[in-house]
C-alpha cells in the first residue's frame, strides 16, 4: 500500500516510518508544498496523512490537491492546533477523519490502512441508519449528509440539524445518538420540542423544579438536562425558544451547570446536546430573534437534511420503507400511482408522504393489495407557503392564488379525480397553519406572555392556546 505522510516535524515522519515500514507498505514523505507536489505526481497514493499546519501552505489546500490527483486516496488530517471548524471543513472536503497530536492511541491510525474496514463501516452505518428510520437511498446529497453525521457522531461536539418541516430531523438525531452509542455505550435519547410548550413550562421541562416552586408543583421533578445526563438531548425546534430561555440554555452549554426551578443547588449535566430547526437561525440572529452566542455554541457542526423534492430518486425506497414500517409490506404501488408521487413537490416532505400513503392504504377495499392513483389524495398547494419563516402569497390575487386555482382546474381538465371536500380540508389546514404561525410570532414578541400576545391578536388566551395546540 502506498502511504504519503506530510509533516514538517521530523519525529512524526520517523514515527510513521517505524509504524508502517515493517508491515511492508511503500512509504513517501513530504514536508512542504513543493515536496508534496512532487510526491503526488510521482506515485499512485492510497492513503495520505496530512498535517494541518505547514510552514508555507495550509493542510486543507494540500488535501484538495491530493484528492484532485488521487480521488480514491483516503486522507486523514493531523493537527496539534485542532479546531472544530477546520475538522468539519476537512471532512466536507473529503477527508476520512482527523486525529490530534500527540497520538495517544495508534490503533486509530492502524485502522485506516485496513481496506476491508471501509466496506464494513459503510454497511454498518447504512444498516444503523435504516434501523433508526433514516433512509439514505441513492441521492448523493443524502449520502454525504449521513457520511458527515457518521464522522462526528462519536465526537463530543454539539450538532445543529437543519431542514424543512417533515424532512426527518429527529430521525437524524436518533441516528447520531445510535451511532455514538455503538462505540461509547451512551445512555438514553430524549427529545423536547421547544415550540410545543409555553415558556414557563419549558423552563421546568428543561431544568426540573423543586416542590412548591410554582402552583401545581406538588413534588420535585427532574428536567431533561438531568434525565439525559449520560445520553443525548435533542432540543427540537430550537428557533422557537424565547429569549429568556435562550439565555438559560447558553449558560448550560457554557458551564454544563443549571439549577431546578425554585432550587438553590447547582447541578451538572453530561448530556450530549443536539438541536434541530426548520428556521434559518442566521437570519433570526440578524432580526434579533435568536442569540448569536447561543448559535455559536449549538453549531459546532451543522448538518442540513435535503428536502424530498431534491432527492426524488429515493422516493420509491422511502415509500416502501414507510409501508413496511407501518405493517403494510403486502401492499405495492401501481406505476401510475408512482408517477403521481413523482410529480408532487412534497412541501411537507417525508411526513406528508407518510400521510398520503397511509390514507391511500386505508382507501383500499378488502383483500386489495395495489395502491392506485385514485387511492392517493395528494393535497393541492395552497396560496400561503412558508418561506424564510413568513407566509407569503404566490400571486397577488386575494386570499387564494391564481396558481392554486389553476392547479385544481388542471386536474379536472386531465380527468383526475377531485373531491371538493378534500379541497375544503386543504383550505382549513392552510387557515390553521397561518393562524398558528401568527400566534407563535406574537408569542415571540411578548417573550412568551400568552395573555399579552392574545391581547395583541384580539382573542382571549384560551383561543390562543387552542390555535397553538390544535392538530392538522
Amino acid at each position: 500500500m502506498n502511504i504519503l505522510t506530510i509533516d514538517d516535524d521530523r519525529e512524526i515522519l520517523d514515527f510513521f516510518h517505524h509504524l508502517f515500514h515493517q508491515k511492508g507498505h511503500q512509504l513517501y514523505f513530504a514536508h512542504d508544498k513543493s515536496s508534496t507536489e512532487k510526491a503526488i505526481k510521482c506515485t499512485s497514493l492510497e492513503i495520505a496523512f496530512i498535517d494541518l499546519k505547514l510552514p508555507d501552505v495550509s493542510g486543507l489546500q494540500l488535501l484538495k490537491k491530493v484528492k484532485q490527483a488521487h480521488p480514491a486516496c483516503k486522507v486523514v488530517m493531523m493537527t496539534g492546533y485542532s479546531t472544530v471548524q477546520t475538522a468539519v471543513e476537512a471532512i466536507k472536503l473529503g477527508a476520512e477523519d482527523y486525529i490530534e497530536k500527540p497520538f495517544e492511541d495508534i490503533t486509530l491510525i492502524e485502522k485506516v490502512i485496513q481496506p476491508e474496514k471501509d466496506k464494513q463501516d459503510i454497511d454498518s452505518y447504512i444498516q444503523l441508519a435504516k434501523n433508526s428510520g433514516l433512509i439514505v437511498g441513492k441521492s448523493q446529497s443524502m449520502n454525504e449528509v449521513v457520511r458527515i453525521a457518521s464522522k462526528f457522531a462519536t465526537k463530543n461536539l454539539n450538532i445543529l440539524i437543519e431542514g424543512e418541516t417533515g424532512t426527518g430531523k429527529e430521525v437524524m438525531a436518533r441516528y447520531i445518538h445510535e451511532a455514538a452509542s455503538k462505540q461509547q455505550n451512551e445512555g438514553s435519547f430524549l427529545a423536547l420540542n421547544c415550540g410545543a410548550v409555553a415558556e414557563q413550562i419549558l423552563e421546568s421541562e428543561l431544568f426540573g423544579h423543586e416542590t412548591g416552586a410554582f402552583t401545581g408543583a406538588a413534588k420535585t421533578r427532574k428536567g431533561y438536562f438531568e434525565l439525559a445526563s449520560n445520553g443525548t438531548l435533542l432540543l427540537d425546534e430550537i428557533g422557537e425558544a424565547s429569549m429568556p430561555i435562550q439565555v438559560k440554555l447558553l449558560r448550560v452549554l457554557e458551564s454544563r451547570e443549571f439549577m431546578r426551578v425554585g432550587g438553590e443547588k447547582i447541578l451538572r449535566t453530561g448530556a450530549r446536546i443536539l438541536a434541530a430547526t426548520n428556521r434559518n437561525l442566521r437570519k433570526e440572529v440578524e432580526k434579533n430573534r435568536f442569540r448569536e452566542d447561543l448559535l455559536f455554541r449549538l453549531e459546532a457542526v451543522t448538518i442540513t437534511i435535503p428536502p424530498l423534492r431534491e432527492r426524488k430518486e429515493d422516493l420509491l425506497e422511502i415509500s416502501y420503507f414507510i409501508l413496511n414500517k407501518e405493517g403494510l409490506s403486502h401492499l405495492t404501488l401501481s406505476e401510475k400511482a408512482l408517477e403521481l408521487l413523482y410529480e408532487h413537490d412534497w412541501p411537507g416532505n417525508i411526513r406528508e408522504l407518510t400521510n398520503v400513503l397511509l390514507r391511500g392504504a386505508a382507501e383500499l377495499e378488502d383483500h386489495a393489495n395495489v395502491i392506485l392513483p385514485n387511492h392517493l389524495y395528494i393535497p393541492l398547494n395552497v396560496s400561503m407557503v412558508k418561506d424564510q419563516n413568513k407566509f407569503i402569497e404566490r400571486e397577488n390575487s386575494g386570499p387564494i392564488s391564481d396558481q392554486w386555482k389553476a392547479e385544481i382546474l388542471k386536474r379536472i381538465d386531465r380527468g383526475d379525480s377531485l373531491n371538493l371536500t378534500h379541497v375544503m380540508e386543504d383550505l382549513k389546514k392552510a387557515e390553521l397553519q397561518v393562524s398558528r404561525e401568527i400566534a407563535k410570532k406574537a408569542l415571540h414578541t411578548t417573550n412568551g406572555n400568552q395573555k399579552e400576545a392574545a391581547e395583541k391578536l384580539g382573542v382571549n388566551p384560551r383561543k390562543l392556546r387552542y390555535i397553538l395546540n390544535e392538530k392538522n
Side-chain angles (χ1 to χ4, degrees), residues 99-237:
I99 53 178
E100 295 184 50
K101 299 186 290 187
F103 310 126
E104 295 182 358
D105 186 358
I106 65 171
T107 59
L108 297 176
I109 302 173
E110 291 176 322
K111 284 180 181 178
V112 178
I113 66 171
Q114 300 173 12
E116 69 281 358
K117 182 180 177 294
D118 292 343
K119 188 175 187 313
Q120 290 173 359
D121 282 350
I122 293 171
D123 292 344
S124 174
Y125 281 121
I126 288 177
Q127 186 57 50
L128 186 60
K130 285 186 176 181
N131 293 343
S132 302
L134 186 68
I135 299 302
V136 181
K138 300 175 182 177
S139 66
Q140 184 177 352
S141 60
M142 193 61 188
N143 272 271
E144 180 64 10
V145 166
V146 174
R147 184 184 78 86
I148 292 172
S150 302
K151 295 300 179 186
F152 288 99
T154 58
K155 313 289 185 184
N156 189 24
L157 301 170
N158 298 331
I159 297 179
L160 178 64
I161 305 170
E162 298 178 328
E164 296 178 7
T165 297
T167 49
K169 296 184 289 294
E170 182 172 342
V171 177
M172 172 61 77
R174 288 184 179 276
Y175 166 68
I176 292 171
H177 169 75
E178 293 296 331
S181 299
K182 183 180 176 184
Q183 295 189 28
Q184 300 171 354
N185 296 316
E186 281 197 358
S188 59
F189 173 90
L190 294 177
L192 178 63
N193 190 318
C194 298
V197 293
E199 179 186 339
Q200 296 83 351
I201 301 174
L202 179 58
E203 184 176 2
S204 175
E205 290 291 307
L206 286 168
F207 310 116
H209 62 253
E210 298 290 350
T211 304
F214 50 82
T215 303
K219 62 179 182 179
T220 298
R221 184 177 182 277
K222 293 181 179 181
Y224 276 68
F225 274 108
E226 199 169 347
L227 293 170
S229 191
N230 295 316
T232 303
L233 174 58
L234 169 65
L235 300 174
D236 200 5
E237 301 304 345

Side-chain angles (χ1 to χ4, degrees), residues 231-460:
T232 303
L233 174 58
L234 169 65
L235 300 174
D236 200 5
E237 301 304 345
I238 187 66
E240 304 286 349
S242 67
M243 281 294 183
I245 290 293
Q246 290 180 35
V247 172
K248 292 180 172 66
L249 286 174
L250 178 62
R251 181 178 183 277
V252 178
L253 294 180
E254 287 179 338
S255 66
R256 313 300 293 182
E257 295 179 344
F258 65 96
M259 288 192 294
R260 295 178 187 149
V261 177
E264 298 179 352
K265 181 181 178 181
I266 295 178
L267 303 173
R268 291 189 61 82
T269 181
R272 163 77 172 285
I273 306 301
L274 307 178
T277 181
N278 60 5
R279 294 173 177 266
N280 184 326
L281 294 186
R282 280 287 164 198
K283 292 193 174 182
E284 293 294 290
V285 168
E286 293 172 5
K287 296 174 182 178
N288 296 318
R289 291 200 291 250
F290 201 83
R291 293 182 63 95
E292 187 173 30
D293 46 6
L294 177 58
L295 180 57
F296 286 149
R297 288 286 177 178
L298 291 172
E299 63 170 0
V301 179
T302 300
I303 293 173
T304 304
I305 304 177
L308 187 53
R309 64 181 173 275
E310 294 180 6
R311 49 179 302 214
K312 283 192 176 179
E313 60 265 50
D314 301 332
L315 190 59
L316 179 63
E317 185 177 349
I318 293 172
S319 296
Y320 279 111
F321 177 85
I322 291 169
L323 292 174
N324 291 337
K325 181 181 177 183
E326 297 296 331
L328 301 169
S329 57
H330 60 289
L331 299 183
T332 58
L333 290 154
S334 72
E335 189 173 328
K336 290 290 185 182
L338 283 171
E339 288 178 7
L340 198 60
L341 296 183
Y342 280 111
E343 287 177 2
H344 191 51
D345 278 342
W346 302 106
N349 294 290
I350 295 175
R351 183 179 296 137
E352 182 186 2
L353 175 61
T354 300
N355 292 337
V356 167
L357 292 175
L358 294 184
R359 185 166 182 167
E363 294 282 344
L364 290 176
E365 297 179 1
D366 293 342
H367 308 300
N369 58 12
V370 179
I371 298 176
L372 303 173
N374 61 297
H375 298 137
L376 297 176
Y377 167 53
I378 298 179
L380 295 161
N381 293 323
V382 294
S383 61
M384 294 299 205
V385 294
K386 202 167 188 180
D387 181 42
Q388 302 299 339
N389 306 322
K390 293 182 180 179
F391 282 95
I392 61 172
E393 291 188 7
R394 288 181 177 173
E395 305 285 345
N396 294 322
S397 58
I400 301 175
S401 71
D402 288 340
Q403 181 177 351
W404 187 79
K405 289 181 285 188
E407 188 176 347
I408 298 176
L409 297 176
K410 183 180 177 182
R411 287 192 178 187
I412 296 174
D413 289 339
R414 287 190 316 207
D416 293 348
S417 60
L418 184 69
N419 188 316
L420 187 57
T421 301
H422 291 164
V423 175
M424 299 304 294
E425 286 180 11
D426 284 339
L427 289 172
K428 288 180 180 178
K429 287 179 181 178
E431 178 186 1
L432 176 60
Q433 199 174 17
V434 174
S435 298
R436 183 178 291 136
E437 185 71 8
I438 292 171
K440 286 181 178 179
K441 295 291 184 187
L443 279 173
H444 269 289
T445 62
T446 61
N447 290 325
N449 188 316
Q450 290 192 7
K451 184 178 179 181
E452 188 179 340
E455 289 176 356
K456 281 179 175 288
L457 298 176
V459 298
N460 59 49

